[in-house]
Amino acid sequence: MVENRTNSRPLKRARRSARVTADLPDFIAFPPPAVGSVKPFRVAVRSFLSNNARLTVAFPPPVLPCLMTWQILFRVGDLMSDGPDLAPVVVALDVVEEDVTRSTRSVYCDQCRVVGWSGHPVCRKRYHFMIRSENGGGMDGYYKSCSSCGNPLQFSDSRCKWCNQSIATDDFEDWVYSQFEDNTHMLHGVVHSNGYGHLLTVNGREGGSNVLSGSDIMNFWDRLCTALSVRKVSVMDVSKKYGMEYRLLHAITKGSSWYANWGYEFGFGSYGLTVDAYKRAEHTLSSMPLSPLLYQGRKPQTRLQKIITFYQALSGSELLTLKDLFSFLLRLINESHKKLITKASKKSNPSPSNVLCAWTRDDVEHVQQAMIKVLMAANQSSWVTRRTLKGVMCKTASLELLDYCLKHLGGKLAANGMVVEAQCNPTSSDFEFRLQPLNFTSCQSSPHCNFPSEEHLKGDLKYLFDVLLNPKSMMDYRPQATRDCVIDSATKLLDCKQFVKDCKPHADDTSTIYLWCHLELADQSKDDPIPPPELIVLPLNATVADLKSEAAKAFEEVYAMFKRLQVEDLLGYGPIEDNITLKLLVGTSGLVKVRGRCSGKYGLNRFRKERGTENWTVDCTCGTKDDDGERMLACDVCGVWQHTRCAGIDNSDAIPAKYICKKCSNSFNS
């Protein structure tokens, strides 16, 4: 009776929870494709928050003027959480609207500086989109103990529920800003009010999520950027897979970063690397042949050679290059993982090799029966390695036919109620076979008996990555020139971290005027920033005066340095009256350039550029002319910055107290 009661309660709760979450948008499909006219980001984000989010901050302006927090709750398809309540899985998207001009923190963006956008003026606002880790809760979740009574506090309350103690605004502000630096979030992206953004964190199942995969999160982020008319997004690819640098592994197997699946392309490489250098390094490494690694003369096989020949035999097609080898291993891991999740009952045999058409079923049966005779001649409890079986049978059939027969030998029925049992030996990385009575062999009921386990596959992948790809632990290639080439190529791929997606918001609506408007300041000096163009949306009957007014509003709203901006001229059309219909001059879409001036110089110097107010020069021997995010040091004589690595200082070594660059050193000696 107790069991019946406990079994009935979750069903009732599940129904109530289902009713509550049924109206929540589905994370897997949200947001839906936009319908209607395209809006600039500065307008689209306000509309998005107004239509979909709820304000969660307990301290509205002017008490907390620099931060506004919003939240959207989602159900994740039809997933149900573990536990007795069987509640539908819900995730929260927290949105923080940060007013940079009122912030007590730095107004500059480190990501803009290292991705090549350091010349942009400082934007007035940044919008942070965060999905906190599954044990982190939302923005309105518990964050600390009450200083008065010690009970947990919620940010959705301005006072403690237990003792009525007020929550200090400084505590809340410090906590929110700490979230911007937290790299455990499942998702953290930030978009400036000009539509330029940065994808800072993606943590799927590799990062500890039990609900969302990395692809689920990236699909959501991609749809969100489209709905918000985001213009460009950068990402620093430091992703890891099975404990390995995934940007290197993915470049070898796919020719690009993992983020390329969502349109992110090479932005720039550290140490002056270009896209051509990236492509050459990828081609060099992925096309590296395996055959030189397998030549050992009369020496015993090494562990590396055993692993390579093992997977060559396991594959239904030839594995000739590093790309072939690593692609095959990743495919096996992916297939093994899918079968564990779905508990599929079908056999995990790979698709037949193309060379099978040259053999008949009788050929395969004849060879496999001969192999069974060899196993019968061995001790029943003794394992016979694949290598030994292949050596015994080498004169009876071609090597390709032997490999195929060995791959499918596990589970083969023999005489007298015996069956072939197969296992992968983790020590030798080789298959082993023996005959066992059918009723004692449980292996045959498993779809994985002919293949290594997922853990074994990952172990082999990590070993191969370390000895073949990782510059820090790479084995000795022969000749030395080949090893140097491989290390150089792998290092270049690891040095390419910055990838950028150009979202290219495009409008097909002919009932509205869409203009990308460039701004030029009157009496502009060469040091003044040139902001990216802003999208101006106008009705078909708009005049030149309307364009000037809307352009002034747009640039003043987006950038902090433009206060009391007045647009005076439409450039490129000569002297024209303000009452002229704009469509007659520019049509319904295109680029225009206007000139304006700010009546005041409020904050102009502080908000001039995202790089800050300091004047620094980068001129490294590798060709780098700007901050690329790598460790640098400045010459104590000329003040010019360069990479520590290019100066011969290892990244693990401390920066010297005094440093003089080669250029200055040579000038002293001459």
Side-chain angles (χ1 to χ4, degrees), residues 270-289:
S270 301
Y271 304 101
L273 293 175
T274 63
V275 63
D276 289 336
Y278 177 84
K279 290 180 178 178
R280 286 195 300 270
E282 176 272 318
H283 175 73
T284 298
L285 210 51
S286 62
S287 61
M288 187 66 63

Side-chain angles (χ1 to χ4, degrees), residues 31-43:
V35 178
S37 59
V38 174
K39 302 174 182 177
F41 173 79
R42 63 184 184 275
V43 177

